Amino acid sequence: MNAPLAPQQQRRQAAMAVLVRASAAEIEDLLGALALPAGEDLRQPENGLVMVRGRIGGDGAAFNLGEATVSRAAVRLPGGEVGFGYTLGRDRAKARLIARCDALLQTDQADAIETKVLAPLRVRIAAEQACRAEQTAATKVDFYTLVRGE
């Protein structure tokens, strides 16, 4: 059984879930509007592979489905906060931006990141999901059977 996460860790996880769904340009534009400290690369952004595991029916035996490319980076701010960024694909700049946001969430700039970066991204993502759900609902077909009166 997993232990409950600390509030800061939950906040960072929620932020990562939003940031990976945004483009690097979006994140950069939103961060550019803020006066933020520059960080140094603790780990240069790099690409690699991860094994993707699958499971049949949710409770079957796990198997290796295939490999996926991943980019990762680590950034340290002048105050010593370290942030990590991972994203599917080969977008090193996005991994660095995610790592920078992760580090900033550990500083007194966390509220600014939440309101100026994460909140607009959440709104856009929710709107996309609603649009997708609406398009899917439009194609729904209800099947029913008429009982013959014999």
Side-chain angles (χ1 to χ4, degrees), residues 22 24-34 36 116-121:
E26 271 184 302
I27 299 169
E28 192 168 20
D29 288 345
L30 293 169
L31 281 176
L34 303 172
L36 301 171
K116 303 288 187 191
V117 177
L118 298 175
L121 291 175

Side-chain angles (χ1 to χ4, degrees), residues 51-82:
M51 181 59 66
V52 179
R53 306 266 297 161
R55 196 177 290 271
I56 299 292
D59 60 354
F63 62 94
N64 292 337
L65 183 64
E67 295 176 333
T69 56
V70 176
S71 298
R72 69 178 179 177
V75 173
R76 182 181 335 187
L77 297 180
E81 297 84 3
V82 176

Side-chain angles (χ1 to χ4, degrees), residues 11-28 31 41 45 70-77 82-89 91-106 113 117-118 121:
R11 184 179 198 177
R12 288 172 67 191
Q13 281 185 350
M16 295 304 108
V18 172
L19 292 167
V20 298
R21 288 177 175 85
S23 69
E26 271 184 302
I27 299 169
E28 192 168 20
L31 281 176
D41 286 335
V70 176
S71 298
R72 69 178 179 177
V75 173
R76 182 181 335 187
L77 297 180
V82 176
F84 300 94
Y86 290 85
T87 186
L88 282 173
D91 195 344
R92 294 181 201 171
K94 182 177 175 181
R96 179 184 281 133
L97 290 167
I98 291 172
R100 187 170 180 212
C101 287
D102 183 41
L104 289 165
L105 283 171
Q106 301 169 55
I113 296 297
V117 177
L118 298 175
L121 291 175

